Amino acid sequence: MTLEQFSRLSCWNAQSITDGYNRLLEIVEEGQKIYYPLWDQGDADTDPSIKERYLIHFPVKKKAPFVIVCAGGGYLGCASMIEAYPTCVHLNQLGYHAFSLNYRCGENAKAPNPLDDMAYAIDYIRKNGEILGIDISDYAITGFSAGGHLAACFGTESAGWKHYNLPSPSAVFLGYPVVTMGEKSHDSSRIMFLGKENIYDEEIISRYSVELLITPDYPPTFVWQCTRDHTVPIENTQMLVNALTENNVPHKYETFDSDNHGWGAGDGTLAEGWIERAVSFWQN
């Protein structure tokens, strides 16, 4: 099967996926490190689940801000090769260091584990900024689907950056994110993140429903989704945008007339160029 045939059969862009892997090969051939485990053996002996927590670094050859990218997967897994790696390629081309975060999923996805992983990753990058050649004074976070929920949630004060005593992201970029843990949520994301026993617990639902946690200090946000998304209901981004508007948070919202979910970097789709537009929004 050719790359073109693969792309016709799926919403995934085969060339985009290939570009992600080729970029990693290029980095390795240049003698640079890409894999950063975010755990040590002592901690892993106590909690083996943290071995799932690591970063893949897509560097640039200058001191520059960084972006953490969280692929989706319904909190069942991280679809990094489909969504995160291609996005990191675009971010490199725009002059930014990019990191694909592998956060805990599946049986280990229950909150606050993924948020702990995001916080640990940001703290690690900040502490090692000089070694990594990174300008730690400015960063953004990006997420898709369930990874979008993680990124959006980390943008809140109560569940995210302030809760972990970290600086706020300068911007949040979200592609077709899960936003609410309530009625209009994505089933597997909700079950895996809250725990099956908690999906009707209103207090826990409210604790992690991003649309209820937005304050005027929420980071500027770029968000997009297909209007007939067949996986995550469009009400998710609509609720988020309404909350951003009510709190006077700078934001940009793009929608595309399609039923697709999983476009990632958007190459060859109606959303093509969204990463460039999001970075421009951040810069301005």
Side-chain angles (χ1 to χ4, degrees), residues 62-137:
K62 64 177 182 178
K63 195 168 186 177
F66 68 94
V67 183
I68 291 186
V69 185
C70 304
Y75 281 120
L76 292 164
C78 290
S80 297
M81 71 173 184
I82 298 162
E83 294 172 329
Y85 294 177
T87 299
C88 289
V89 172
H90 281 268
L91 290 166
N92 277 181
Q93 291 168 348
L94 294 168
Y96 293 89
H97 288 270
F99 292 88
S100 170
L101 173 63
N102 200 85
Y103 53 91
R104 280 174 284 183
C105 292
E107 63 182 5
N108 300 313
K110 190 174 178 181
N113 281 357
L115 286 160
D116 288 351
D117 297 343
M118 174 74 89
Y120 196 101
I122 293 169
D123 187 55
Y124 178 88
I125 294 168
R126 286 174 50 78
K127 287 178 177 176
N128 292 277
E130 195 64 36
I131 296 170
L132 296 169
I134 289 170
D135 175 4
I136 64 169
S137 67

Side-chain angles (χ1 to χ4, degrees), residues 119-274:
Y120 196 101
I122 293 169
D123 187 55
Y124 178 88
I125 294 168
R126 286 174 50 78
K127 287 178 177 176
N128 292 277
E130 195 64 36
I131 296 170
L132 296 169
I134 289 170
D135 175 4
I136 64 169
S137 67
D138 197 10
Y139 78 99
I141 51 178
T142 304
F144 302 94
S145 198
H149 175 261
L150 173 56
C153 213
F154 197 82
T156 70
E157 296 171 83
S158 60
W161 59 273
K162 192 170 186 179
H163 174 74
Y164 289 97
N165 296 313
L166 288 166
S168 172
S170 298
V172 176
F173 309 149
L174 304 171
Y176 41 91
V178 177
V179 171
T180 187
M181 287 286 113
E183 180 184 354
K184 293 294 183 177
S185 189
H186 173 245
D187 286 346
S188 80
S189 298
R190 182 185 189 192
I191 291 169
M192 302 310 295
F193 189 78
L194 297 183
K196 193 171 184 178
E197 70 278 12
N198 295 321
I199 60 172
Y200 300 112
D201 186 317
E202 291 299 329
E203 190 277 326
I204 295 177
I205 289 171
S206 298
R207 190 186 307 168
Y208 297 111
S209 289
V210 180
E211 78 279 9
L212 303 178
L213 308 178
I214 301 295
T215 68
D217 288 329
Y218 196 81
T221 301
F222 184 102
V223 57
W224 66 274
Q225 188 174 17
C226 291
T227 55
R228 293 173 283 113
D229 190 317
H230 57 68
T231 302
V232 173
I234 189 67
E235 285 87 351
N236 280 257
T237 52
Q238 291 171 341
M239 285 188 284
L240 175 66
V241 169
N242 287 340
L244 294 170
T245 301
E246 289 169 5
N247 285 276
N248 296 312
V249 177
H251 61 278
K252 185 173 182 181
Y253 183 35
E254 294 185 352
T255 58
F256 305 99
D257 184 19
S258 172
D259 64 356
N260 272 308
H261 180 90
W263 276 350
D267 298 329
T269 73
L270 294 173
E272 185 157 14
W274 79 262

Side-chain angles (χ1 to χ4, degrees), residues 13-24 58 85-86 89 267:
N13 185 292
Q15 186 59 59
S16 182
I17 295 169
T18 302
D19 290 344
Y21 275 109
N22 285 340
R23 174 66 183 132
L24 286 177
F58 288 70
Y85 294 177
V89 172
D267 298 329

